[in-house]
Amino acid sequence: MPDPTALLAFIDALPDPHIVCDAGYRIVHANRAYLDRFGDGRDVRGRFCYEVSHHYPRPCNRCGESCPLSDSLVSGKRERVVHLHHTPRGEEYVDIALTPIPGDDGGYRYFVERMSPLAAGRDIQGDSLIGRSPAFRHMLERLARVAPSDETVLLQGASGTGKELVAKALHAASRRAEKPFVTVDCTGLPENLIDSELFGHEKGAFTGAVLRQTGLVEAANGGTLFLDEIGDMPLAMQSKLLRLLETGTYRRLGSTEWRRADVRIVSATHHLLARRVEEGRFRADLYYRLSTFPLYLPPLSERREDIPLLAEALLARSHPDCRFSPAALARLTSHAFPGNIRELRNIATRCCLLSGNGLIDEALIEEALSSAPGPRRDSDTPPPPTTGLKRSEQARALGISERTLYRRLKQAAQP
């Protein structure tokens, strides 16, 4: 194996936080960058890595988490994992890359861990990605892998799961972080204007075009273009978007000049795009270009242990004078939240407005839930009966969109 003295001197010279552990999980060395960021200047040598990083009494893999060191002992290879690490500023997500160092006996004597603070887990414009659940951590770990690249990402998840916030996190953790982040709402643009909005137009391109206009693609040059609800984009525009993805070129409306755009495309939808492809409502070639890296955002029903964290964070951000009682948090955790984080935010706001002293108790939660629009969907309440048709089939039979059908169902359920 390498000379231990030379190895430790090399680690000391690195600008990123590094520690060296032995096969028994004890820290034998930590460089200055680690001590400054995670150790508050205190010496951690001789302590167990899981004790320092997570305050666990035993290795991470025996506390319900993945452990790169134990994985490396089995695989003999480099391992990576995203962990929630204790710091002097509180808990912080870090991307850990562990490299085993072979010993003279054929085994592994040392393990070097590099810890990179995860930009995607930090506050972004006053918001942050918050969670501890396995489903959330899996999503965040995949986000950390794809963020530094320029690959297209397709965010898939139900309405209210925070797709735009995740898109901003992808941008913040990319090499384009200092460049523009531009959002296009594909549901809010009329079909006859979306071409002009995306690619811009020349003066006189159509009636009312009295000036040349820069499109959103050009505005996002060098940065990230976020196409929200891409499943609702008209077919006529999908072919032009496909050309942009394949060639990096586009034309302003009314121009014959091809222009180049350096943008990363991140798209999002609550639709199952594969099904829309089968129905002929979405181009298959565009679907495959957009979904180079699909990223699933779990609903709150799959991450119930995160509900108290999210609820208290929402209060701290917008209503710092309010607080939940333990019983209120327990009641929130039992709620199904079909509207996901958006619904949780509304309930927190409603409770603060109803509270007279800033304390939100279980009774106040019940009152806020009973005044919520739409059918009750608590975990102990069965969903309303259906006709046996899927919602998309119901909408087609009525000749309306799925979103319109959903809105009408909510209106009909109100007293």
Side-chain angles (χ1 to χ4, degrees):
M1 65 164 288
D3 176 12
T5 304
L7 174 64
L8 300 186
F10 174 74
I11 296 297
D12 280 337
L14 295 174
D16 296 325
H18 283 73
I19 61 173
V20 181
C21 298
D22 62 19
Y25 303 92
R26 286 191 182 276
I27 299 174
V28 298
H29 189 72
N31 69 356
R32 174 52 55 186
Y34 176 90
L35 295 177
D36 288 344
R37 185 168 189 92
F38 299 114
D40 199 20
R42 292 173 295 182
D43 192 359
V44 295
R45 289 176 298 180
R47 298 174 63 188
F48 293 112
C49 58
Y50 50 81
E51 173 201 351
V52 172
S53 298
H54 310 293
H55 297 179
Y56 288 159
R58 49 191 179 276
C60 302
N61 60 319
R62 294 169 58 192
C63 295
E65 289 198 50
S66 58
C67 174
L69 198 156
S70 62
D71 290 344
S72 186
L73 282 170
V74 175
S75 69
K77 298 179 181 179
R78 191 170 182 261
E79 299 287 347
R80 288 187 67 180
V81 68
V82 170
H83 269 185
L84 198 59
H85 200 294
H86 281 276
T87 77
R89 300 163 303 282
E91 291 181 313
E92 179 179 336
Y93 275 107
V94 295
D95 185 9
I96 298 176
L98 179 141
T99 303
I101 306 299
D104 296 332
D105 58 356
Y108 296 95
R109 182 176 178 184
Y110 294 125
F111 298 82
V112 178
E113 286 190 3
R114 185 200 69 209
M115 300 184 183
S116 304
L118 202 61
R122 302 176 194 159
D123 283 355
I124 303 157
Q125 298 181 356
D127 291 323
S128 59
L129 299 179
I130 297 171
R132 296 171 175 270
S133 65
F136 175 84
R137 293 194 185 197
H138 178 71
M139 183 276 293
L140 191 63
E141 188 165 352
R142 289 175 60 82
L143 188 158
R145 299 293 176 264
V146 72
S149 76
D150 269 345
E151 298 298 339
T152 58
V153 179
L154 176 62
L155 305 178
Q156 301 176 99
S159 295
T161 49
K163 292 187 284 293
E164 184 168 3
L165 184 58
V166 171
K168 289 178 180 178
L170 280 165
H171 176 72
S174 75
R175 66 177 181 84
R176 300 172 178 268
E178 302 303 318
K179 299 295 184 178
F181 176 89
V182 177
T183 298
V184 181
D185 183 359
C186 296
T187 63
L189 292 175
E191 187 169 348
N192 61 335
L193 292 181
I194 192 169
D195 195 339
S196 172
E197 289 290 326
L198 271 180
F199 302 122
H201 62 254
E202 299 291 340
K203 179 180 178 180
F206 52 86
T207 303
V210 295
L211 295 172
R212 170 185 288 178
Q213 176 175 303
T214 297
L216 296 176
V217 169
E218 190 171 347
N221 194 50
T224 300
L225 186 69
F226 174 51
L227 302 173
D228 196 13
E229 293 301 346
I230 187 67
D232 293 324
M233 177 175 278
L235 277 168
M237 278 303 303
Q238 292 178 24
S239 60
K240 297 183 179 182
L241 178 60
L242 179 64
R243 181 178 183 89
L244 175 68
L245 282 165
E246 290 184 334
T247 68
T249 62
Y250 67 97
R251 285 192 301 193
R252 287 177 178 162
L253 194 61
S255 173
T256 59
E257 177 188 359
W258 288 102
R259 307 176 67 86
R260 299 201 66 84
D262 173 24
V263 294
R264 183 192 193 176
I265 302 292
V266 176
S267 55
T269 181
H270 72 282
H271 295 294
L272 292 176
L273 281 192
R275 180 179 297 169
R276 293 177 87 81
V277 169
E278 294 174 357
E279 296 169 346
R281 303 167 68 183
F282 203 85
R283 292 181 61 116
D285 44 9
L286 178 59
Y287 167 63
Y288 290 118
R289 286 306 302 261
L290 292 172
S291 59
T292 299
F293 194 95
L295 187 61
Y296 172 68
L297 277 63
L300 284 186
S301 60
E302 294 180 11
R303 42 181 300 213
R304 290 187 179 276
E305 54 264 67
D306 292 338
I307 292 174
L309 293 173
L310 287 163
E312 292 183 322
L314 289 170
L315 281 191
R317 194 172 298 149
S318 55
H319 301 281
D321 295 332
C322 292
R323 66 190 188 281
F324 291 105
S325 72
L329 290 174
R331 180 63 187 92
L332 282 176
T333 304
S334 70
H335 183 61
F337 285 105
N340 293 294
I341 298 173
R342 188 178 295 121
E343 181 185 1
L344 177 60
R345 182 184 293 113
N346 291 345
I347 290 174
T349 298
R350 194 176 305 132
C351 286
C352 286
L353 295 176
L354 293 171
S355 174
N357 58 8
L359 176 63
I360 301 173
D361 58 17
E362 186 177 8
L364 204 54
I365 295 291
E366 291 290 357
E367 183 178 352
L369 290 174
S370 66
S371 63
R376 293 289 299 274
R377 291 293 302 276
D378 290 0
S379 58
D380 54 355
T381 304
T386 67
T387 62
L389 293 176
K390 295 178 180 177
R391 179 159 294 170
S392 60
E393 295 170 340
Q394 295 176 18
R396 284 200 301 274
L398 294 171
I400 59 178
S401 69
E402 292 179 50
R403 180 166 291 187
T404 300
L405 174 62
Y406 180 69
R407 185 173 63 251
R408 291 182 182 177
L409 287 173
K410 286 206 302 183
Q411 291 171 347
Q414 293 178 6

